[in-house]
C-alpha cells in the first residue's frame, strides 16, 4: 500500500494549530480539531469574518495590514475619537484617541500600524485638521493648505502622503496636496472634481477610482493614475460597479475595491480587483454589504471594518492565488 511518507519521503506532521505561513500542497494533521488539512491555492478571492470592532461606527479611518491594523474616528453617533488596534484576531481599545473627533477623513493607507497620519474629515464642519500617530498617541500637526474637506481620498505613508478630491461644500473639489512629513503643498489637481472616492498606492505612484461628481446620484466609474507629478485618466480602466463611499487599498498596479453605495442599492458587497490596466469583478462579495466603511491592507491580504449592520463587523480578504487551508475529508 502506498503511503504519504513513501511518496514524499516524510510523514504528515501532527500539530496543535495550523501552520503559518502556508506553502501550496502542504499537508498536516491538526490534533486539536482532529482533522487532516491541506494548503490549497485560491482561484478567486474569498472573504472571512474577523473580530468585531469594540465601537460600532461608520466613516471610520484606517491603515496598516490585515494582521496589524489601526481604526480611528467615525460616527457612532456622535462622532468619536476612539482608536483601536487589530492583531489579526481581535480589536483592542487604545487608551487615548484622536485629538479631534471626526468622520470621513482620509489616511496614509500604506502606513504601518505604528506610524501614520489622518487628515480632513467632518465634525459638523469640514476640516483641514491633520494628526500623526506614533504607535500609542495622536499628535496634531500642520493642517491641510486648501479648503476644508471631507470624503476625500488619501494614500501614502506618515512622511510621504497624498490627499485628493473631496467635498468642500457646496461643491466637490479636484485639489491635490502632497505631505512631506511636516507640511502640505498644493500640487497638480485631478482631471475633474469628485468626492466619496477611494485610492491606493504611494505618494509617487497612486490610483484614484469611483466616487461621485456633483451629488450622491452622479456616480463615476473613472480610474486615474498619479505619477508623482500629475494625474492621468486610465483608458478602459472604468470600475465595473459604479459606486461611492467604498473601501479601496493596495498599490497602483494591484488594488482592491469593496462595498459602497450604488445608484440601485443603498449598500453593496461587490468586490473588484485591479491589475494595473482593468478592473475584474470578484465572484465572492463581502458577507456584509455596506458603505462608508474603513479598509486597509493589500489585494492579497485585505481588511474592511465598520459601517453596515452591525456597524462593528470586520472581514478579511484573501486574494486569488493565495494559499488557504482546506480540511481533508476522510472515511
Amino acid at each position: 500500500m502506498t503511503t504519504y511518507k513513501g511518496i514524499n519521503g516524510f510523514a504528515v506532521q501532527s500539530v496543535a494549530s495550523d501552520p503559518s505561513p502556508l506553502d501550496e500542497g502542504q499537508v498536516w494533521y491538526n490534533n486539536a480539531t482532529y482533522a487532516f488539512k491541506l494548503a490549497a491555492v485560491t482561484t478567486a478571492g474569498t472573504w472571512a469574518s474577523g473580530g468585531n470592532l469594540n465601537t460600532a461606527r461608520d466613516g471610520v479611518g484606517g491603515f496598516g495590514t490585515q494582521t496589524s491594523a489601526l481604526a480611528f474616528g467615525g460616527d457612532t453617533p456622535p462622532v468619536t475619537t476612539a482608536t483601536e488596534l487589530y492583531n489579526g484576531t481581535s480589536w483592542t481599545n487604545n487608551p487615548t484617541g484622536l485629538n479631534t473627533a471626526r468622520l470621513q477623513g482620509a489616511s496614509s493607507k500604506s502606513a504601518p500600524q505604528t506610524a501614520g497620519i489622518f487628515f480632513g474629515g467632518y465634525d459638523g464642519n469640514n476640516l483641514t485638521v491633520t494628526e500623526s500617530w506614533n504607535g500609542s498617541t495622536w499628535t496634531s500637526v500642520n493642517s491641510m493648505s486648501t479648503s476644508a474637506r471631507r470624503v476625500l481620498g488619501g494614500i501614502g505613508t506618515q512622511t510621504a502622503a497624498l490627499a485628493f478630491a473631496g467635498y468642500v461644500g457646496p461643491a466637490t473639489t479636484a485639489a491635490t496636496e502632497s505631505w512631506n512629513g511636516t507640511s502640505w503643498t498644493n500640487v497638480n489637481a485631478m482631471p475633474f472634481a469628485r468626492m466619496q472616492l477611494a485610492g491606493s498606492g504611494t505618494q509617487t505612484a497612486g490610483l484614484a477610482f469611483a466616487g461621485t461628481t456633483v451629488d450622491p446620484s452622479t456616480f463615476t466609474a473613472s480610474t486615474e493614475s498619479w505619477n508623482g507629478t500629475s494625474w492621468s485618466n486610465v483608458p478602459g480602466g472604468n470600475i465595473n460597479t459604479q459606486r461611492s463611499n467604498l473601501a479601496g487599498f493596495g498599490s497602483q498596479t494591484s488594488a482592491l475595491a469593496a462595498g459602497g453605495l450604488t445608484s440601485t442599492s443603498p449598500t453593496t458587497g461587490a468586490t473588484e480587483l485591479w491589475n494595473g490596466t482593468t478592473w475584474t469583478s470578484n465572484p465572492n462579495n463581502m458577507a456584509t454589504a455596506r458603505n462608508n466603511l474603513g479598509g486597509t491592507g493589500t489585494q492579497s491580504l485585505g481588511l474592511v471594518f465598520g459601517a453596515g449592520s452591525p456597524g462593528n463587523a470586520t472581514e478579511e480578504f484573501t486574494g486569488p492565488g493565495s494559499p488557504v487551508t482546506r480540511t481533508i475529508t476522510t472515511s
Side-chain angles (χ1 to χ4, degrees):
M1 177 180 176
T2 303
T3 65
Y4 182 85
K5 183 176 181 180
I7 296 172
N8 293 279
F10 53 88
V12 175
Q13 284 188 308
S14 177
V15 294
S17 60
D18 295 338
S20 180
L22 299 173
D23 294 318
E24 182 183 1
Q26 184 177 0
V27 176
W28 67 96
Y29 178 73
N30 187 311
N31 53 45
T33 59
Y34 308 106
F36 285 97
K37 296 190 175 183
L38 165 72
V41 171
T42 58
T43 56
T46 58
W47 289 98
S49 296
N52 287 342
L53 284 163
N54 295 289
T55 301
R57 48 187 136 164
D58 61 11
V60 58
F63 51 73
T65 68
Q66 188 187 77
T67 57
S68 180
L70 196 74
F72 39 86
D75 187 31
T76 59
V79 290
T80 181
T81 64
T83 298
E84 301 185 39
L85 299 95
Y86 192 63
N87 63 5
T89 303
S90 60
W91 293 95
T92 302
N93 289 319
N94 195 67
T96 58
L98 291 162
N99 295 287
T100 302
R102 52 196 152 133
L103 75 157
Q104 296 178 332
S107 61
S108 50
K109 286 290 185 66
S110 298
Q113 186 193 59
T114 55
I117 60 169
F118 183 42
F119 41 94
Y122 183 74
D123 67 352
N125 296 292
N126 291 335
L127 301 169
T128 60
V129 173
T130 302
E131 295 188 45
S132 180
W133 169 257
N134 66 3
S136 60
T137 59
W138 292 97
T139 302
S140 296
V141 291
N142 286 322
S143 296
M144 300 175 70
S145 56
T146 59
S147 301
R149 46 182 155 163
R150 68 180 188 266
V151 288
L152 66 159
I155 55 178
T157 66
Q158 186 185 55
T159 57
L162 201 71
F164 45 93
Y167 181 73
V168 297
T172 55
T173 180
T176 302
E177 296 184 46
S178 179
W179 171 259
N180 64 5
T182 304
S183 59
W184 293 97
T185 303
N186 290 322
V187 291
N188 287 321
M190 301 189 75
F192 63 92
R194 59 174 143 166
M195 63 180 179
Q196 300 170 337
L197 72 167
S200 63
T202 66
Q203 189 191 62
T204 56
L207 201 70
F209 43 93
T212 60
T213 54
V214 179
D215 59 62
S217 64
T218 310
F219 292 85
T220 177
S222 178
T223 298
E224 275 77 52
S225 178
W226 171 258
N227 63 7
T229 303
S230 59
W231 293 97
S232 59
N233 182 262
V234 181
N238 285 357
I239 201 164
N240 294 289
T241 301
Q242 293 189 31
R243 58 184 111 170
S244 65
N245 288 313
L246 67 161
F249 45 82
S251 70
Q252 187 186 59
T253 57
S254 179
L256 181 142
L261 169 72
T262 73
S263 60
T264 58
S265 174
T267 58
T268 180
T271 302
E272 298 187 42
L273 306 175
W274 173 256
N275 64 6
T277 306
T278 57
W279 289 98
T280 302
S281 295
N282 191 70
N284 300 314
N285 293 336
M286 293 191 302
T288 301
R290 49 187 139 167
N291 70 78
N292 214 11
L293 67 163
T296 190
T298 65
Q299 187 189 82
S300 297
L301 297 170
L303 189 74
V304 298
F305 41 89
S309 180
N312 60 353
T314 298
E315 295 187 51
E316 300 174 353
F317 184 76
T318 301
S322 301
V324 292
T325 299
R326 306 288 191 206
T327 299
I328 302 172
T329 302
T330 58
S331 57

